[in-house]
Amino acid sequence: MTAASVQTVHPVDERLPTGRLAALGLQHVLVMYAGAIAVPLIVGRALKLSPEQVATLISADLFCCGLVTIIQSLGLGRFFGIKLPVMMGVTFAAVGPMVAMANAQGGVDGARAIFGAIIGAGLISIAIAPLMSRLLRFFPPVVTGTIIAVIGISLMRVGVSWALGGPAHLAQSNPNYGALDNLGIAAFVLLTIVLLMKYARGFVSNITVLLGIVAGCGVAALLGKMNLDKVAKASWFEVVTPFTFGLPTFDIVMVLTMALVMIVVMIESTGMFLALSDMTGKKISAQELAAGLRTDGLGTVLGGLFNTFPYTSFSQNVGLVGVTGIRSRWVCVAGGVIMLILGLLPKMGALVESIPQSVLGGAGLVMFGMVAATGIRILSGVDFKTNRHNLSIVAISIGFGLIPLVAPRWMQQMALPLHPLMESGILLASFSAVLLNVVFNGSHPDPRTSTQASIEASRAAEAI
């Protein structure tokens, strides 16, 4: 038998020994865990759900993270799964609109409306996945960088609220607002993360946020600010079931709002897949790209059915592929199995829900600031010197994005169905940036920069 006749396996498809797969899969889980649990915490508390209900959201989120990761990395026929080493998690891009929806209608009814919007947006995403590659020309670096920066700036309000003990508009009715002990815990978490970023090496440097949260929980527990009674009462095993909060309700404005978010998410995923293709040395076809984008939509539909949120590829895990040099998609399949198992352990969800807000506040300043900083990094590659219109695009779009932050009730004279759309600075900035770019620059950006912009955008999508 000649060497030429030996069929070699591409590193992406290489099946590693079970023990090594489990260890490498757990590493992927640890890198993404802090980001994976953040969104259900934000939205659950915005909906004013009970601690038990928030724990249910977290368990469902972990379960769906695992399920969608397996579909994306392993593949499901020809139509679903990019079949690259991808870890899937809830996207931060949808947090702003979902929090706005929660503020408009809280409680279980608000949750049902959000889940309905997510299911509708997921179905739309599946339908338009083959068309998304044609839309890349509308998202050059000046647009993508602006959107990512506004996402980070918008989410920073959440991180600051966590550190201070609640939203600013409730400060007068909240006696613990700005309490120095809470601020001290948040500062300790932030300092821990900064020191780890500075001095940690290897795998530890990839989980600095998670380690900071763990350290903050230890301090909070010593100060009597972390109650584990709910963890003790939670069961060890519970099946995640669909429609736990009841049948979803569908509002056309909410569905369209979430569909717009999913378009941004799919653009980010395209950049992620391009980056992974280069990193692993496996070129992807248009059909494979469409299959990966369909899985974003399928994961979002599954999220709505199982009481969780829209899904996308996690960028920090792409970085981990580069750090470890392990290109096998089976590692992420193993990570998906671990996430799925964690979702079936309610004690884990209860433990995460018991984390004090002040601990999350210190981590949030890093997580959300990193998103904004990555947007700025993308904008640093934009031509502002010879194209003066680019500066106008960024300036006006960021201005639109900040309107809901500085004037939360600016839309109160508008029709009520428009409020969820108008309350999202992210969507306002997206509309503005895309429209102004078409007006000033047209829809044919330099092809040498559009692909690189997509890759940079993917790194920012969940840059925490």
mmCIF file of all heavy atoms in Angstrom, residues 3-4 57 99 144 151 210 262 266 270 272 309 314 327 357-358 457:
data_model
loop_
_atom_site.group_PDB
_atom_site.id
_atom_site.type_symbol
_atom_site.label_atom_id
_atom_site.label_comp_id
_atom_site.label_asym_id
_atom_site.label_seq_id
_atom_site.Cartn_x
_atom_site.Cartn_y
_atom_site.Cartn_z
ATOM 1 N N ALA A 3 1.808 5.393 0.150
ATOM 2 C CA ALA A 3 1.390 6.485 1.038
ATOM 3 C C ALA A 3 0.227 7.251 0.446
ATOM 4 O O ALA A 3 -0.646 7.744 1.156
ATOM 5 C CB ALA A 3 2.586 7.421 1.297
ATOM 6 N N ALA A 4 0.201 7.330 -0.882
ATOM 7 C CA ALA A 4 -0.870 8.090 -1.521
ATOM 8 C C ALA A 4 -2.212 7.425 -1.347
ATOM 9 O O ALA A 4 -3.258 8.077 -1.416
ATOM 10 C CB ALA A 4 -0.551 8.279 -3.008
ATOM 11 N N LEU A 57 -34.322 29.261 34.133
ATOM 12 C CA LEU A 57 -33.764 29.845 32.908
ATOM 13 C C LEU A 57 -32.315 29.420 32.712
ATOM 14 O O LEU A 57 -31.894 29.102 31.592
ATOM 15 C CB LEU A 57 -33.842 31.372 32.967
ATOM 16 C CG LEU A 57 -35.205 32.054 32.871
ATOM 17 C CD1 LEU A 57 -35.036 33.566 32.932
ATOM 18 C CD2 LEU A 57 -35.935 31.662 31.599
ATOM 19 N N VAL A 99 -34.295 43.148 27.319
ATOM 20 C CA VAL A 99 -34.489 43.917 28.545
ATOM 21 C C VAL A 99 -35.566 44.977 28.333
ATOM 22 O O VAL A 99 -36.398 45.224 29.220
ATOM 23 C CB VAL A 99 -33.159 44.560 28.990
ATOM 24 C CG1 VAL A 99 -33.388 45.573 30.103
ATOM 25 C CG2 VAL A 99 -32.191 43.482 29.466
ATOM 26 N N THR A 144 -19.859 47.615 11.312
ATOM 27 C CA THR A 144 -19.718 46.558 12.311
ATOM 28 C C THR A 144 -19.071 47.079 13.583
ATOM 29 O O THR A 144 -19.525 46.783 14.698
ATOM 30 C CB THR A 144 -18.873 45.400 11.743
ATOM 31 O OG1 THR A 144 -19.415 44.985 10.491
ATOM 32 C CG2 THR A 144 -18.863 44.225 12.697
ATOM 33 N N ILE A 151 -23.097 48.075 21.438
ATOM 34 C CA ILE A 151 -23.523 46.926 22.249
ATOM 35 C C ILE A 151 -22.818 46.970 23.603
ATOM 36 O O ILE A 151 -23.439 46.844 24.667
ATOM 37 C CB ILE A 151 -23.223 45.599 21.528
ATOM 38 C CG1 ILE A 151 -24.168 45.407 20.343
ATOM 39 C CG2 ILE A 151 -23.363 44.409 22.494
ATOM 40 C CD1 ILE A 151 -23.832 44.192 19.483
ATOM 41 N N LEU A 210 -14.155 33.979 35.058
ATOM 42 C CA LEU A 210 -14.753 32.948 35.900
ATOM 43 C C LEU A 210 -14.049 32.871 37.253
ATOM 44 O O LEU A 210 -14.687 32.782 38.300
ATOM 45 C CB LEU A 210 -14.688 31.597 35.191
ATOM 46 C CG LEU A 210 -15.315 30.414 35.946
ATOM 47 C CD1 LEU A 210 -16.791 30.636 36.171
ATOM 48 C CD2 LEU A 210 -15.091 29.113 35.198
ATOM 49 N N MET A 262 -31.132 39.123 14.982
ATOM 50 C CA MET A 262 -30.585 37.875 14.449
ATOM 51 C C MET A 262 -29.800 38.116 13.159
ATOM 52 O O MET A 262 -28.851 37.380 12.860
ATOM 53 C CB MET A 262 -31.704 36.865 14.207
ATOM 54 C CG MET A 262 -32.280 36.256 15.478
ATOM 55 S SD MET A 262 -31.003 35.477 16.506
ATOM 56 C CE MET A 262 -30.400 34.193 15.386
ATOM 57 N N MET A 266 -26.106 36.787 12.747
ATOM 58 C CA MET A 266 -25.670 35.927 11.646
ATOM 59 C C MET A 266 -24.482 36.538 10.908
ATOM 60 O O MET A 266 -23.609 35.803 10.409
ATOM 61 C CB MET A 266 -26.840 35.663 10.707
ATOM 62 C CG MET A 266 -27.945 34.834 11.367
ATOM 63 S SD MET A 266 -29.466 34.749 10.401
ATOM 64 C CE MET A 266 -29.051 33.441 9.257
ATOM 65 N N THR A 270 -20.914 34.647 10.600
ATOM 66 C CA THR A 270 -20.197 34.483 9.332
ATOM 67 C C THR A 270 -18.718 34.787 9.519
ATOM 68 O O THR A 270 -17.843 34.041 9.051
ATOM 69 C CB THR A 270 -20.804 35.396 8.252
ATOM 70 O OG1 THR A 270 -22.177 35.042 8.037
ATOM 71 C CG2 THR A 270 -20.034 35.273 6.944
ATOM 72 N N MET A 272 -17.120 34.611 12.316
ATOM 73 C CA MET A 272 -16.594 33.552 13.169
ATOM 74 C C MET A 272 -16.208 32.321 12.340
ATOM 75 O O MET A 272 -15.138 31.738 12.516
ATOM 76 C CB MET A 272 -17.660 33.162 14.184
ATOM 77 C CG MET A 272 -17.202 32.168 15.227
ATOM 78 S SD MET A 272 -16.343 32.996 16.545
ATOM 79 C CE MET A 272 -17.692 33.933 17.249
ATOM 80 N N PHE A 309 -32.878 31.661 25.148
ATOM 81 C CA PHE A 309 -32.712 32.836 24.310
ATOM 82 C C PHE A 309 -31.965 32.554 23.007
ATOM 83 O O PHE A 309 -31.590 31.419 22.747
ATOM 84 C CB PHE A 309 -31.989 33.900 25.155
ATOM 85 C CG PHE A 309 -32.642 34.115 26.491
ATOM 86 C CD1 PHE A 309 -32.047 33.679 27.658
ATOM 87 C CD2 PHE A 309 -33.892 34.716 26.578
ATOM 88 C CE1 PHE A 309 -32.664 33.851 28.895
ATOM 89 C CE2 PHE A 309 -34.524 34.902 27.798
ATOM 90 C CZ PHE A 309 -33.912 34.459 28.961
ATOM 91 N N PHE A 314 -19.527 31.375 20.129
ATOM 92 C CA PHE A 314 -18.794 32.143 21.135
ATOM 93 C C PHE A 314 -17.358 32.372 20.673
ATOM 94 O O PHE A 314 -16.610 31.430 20.424
ATOM 95 C CB PHE A 314 -18.810 31.402 22.473
ATOM 96 C CG PHE A 314 -19.868 31.918 23.418
ATOM 97 C CD1 PHE A 314 -21.078 32.392 22.943
ATOM 98 C CD2 PHE A 314 -19.663 31.913 24.789
ATOM 99 C CE1 PHE A 314 -22.051 32.854 23.789
ATOM 100 C CE2 PHE A 314 -20.633 32.382 25.656
ATOM 101 C CZ PHE A 314 -21.825 32.856 25.162
ATOM 102 N N ARG A 327 -7.670 21.251 16.720
ATOM 103 C CA ARG A 327 -8.648 21.669 15.720
ATOM 104 C C ARG A 327 -9.829 20.714 15.587
ATOM 105 O O ARG A 327 -10.735 20.958 14.796
ATOM 106 C CB ARG A 327 -7.958 21.808 14.363
ATOM 107 C CG ARG A 327 -6.932 22.940 14.327
ATOM 108 C CD ARG A 327 -6.230 23.028 12.991
ATOM 109 N NE ARG A 327 -5.160 22.021 12.870
ATOM 110 C CZ ARG A 327 -4.447 21.829 11.783
ATOM 111 N NH1 ARG A 327 -4.681 22.562 10.696
ATOM 112 N NH2 ARG A 327 -3.495 20.916 11.754
ATOM 113 N N GLN A 357 -25.310 40.236 43.100
ATOM 114 C CA GLN A 357 -25.185 41.156 41.977
ATOM 115 C C GLN A 357 -23.873 41.929 42.022
ATOM 116 O O GLN A 357 -23.298 42.250 40.976
ATOM 117 C CB GLN A 357 -26.356 42.138 41.966
ATOM 118 C CG GLN A 357 -27.654 41.545 41.447
ATOM 119 C CD GLN A 357 -28.701 42.618 41.183
ATOM 120 O OE1 GLN A 357 -28.527 43.770 41.552
ATOM 121 N NE2 GLN A 357 -29.789 42.225 40.554
ATOM 122 N N SER A 358 -23.399 42.231 43.211
ATOM 123 C CA SER A 358 -22.161 43.003 43.313
ATOM 124 C C SER A 358 -20.983 42.226 42.727
ATOM 125 O O SER A 358 -20.076 42.821 42.135
ATOM 126 C CB SER A 358 -21.882 43.343 44.779
ATOM 127 O OG SER A 358 -21.846 42.166 45.578
ATOM 128 N N ALA A 457 -15.474 41.263 13.811
ATOM 129 C CA ALA A 457 -16.780 41.329 14.438
ATOM 130 C C ALA A 457 -17.079 40.049 15.212
ATOM 131 O O ALA A 457 -17.673 40.080 16.278
ATOM 132 C CB ALA A 457 -17.867 41.556 13.379
#
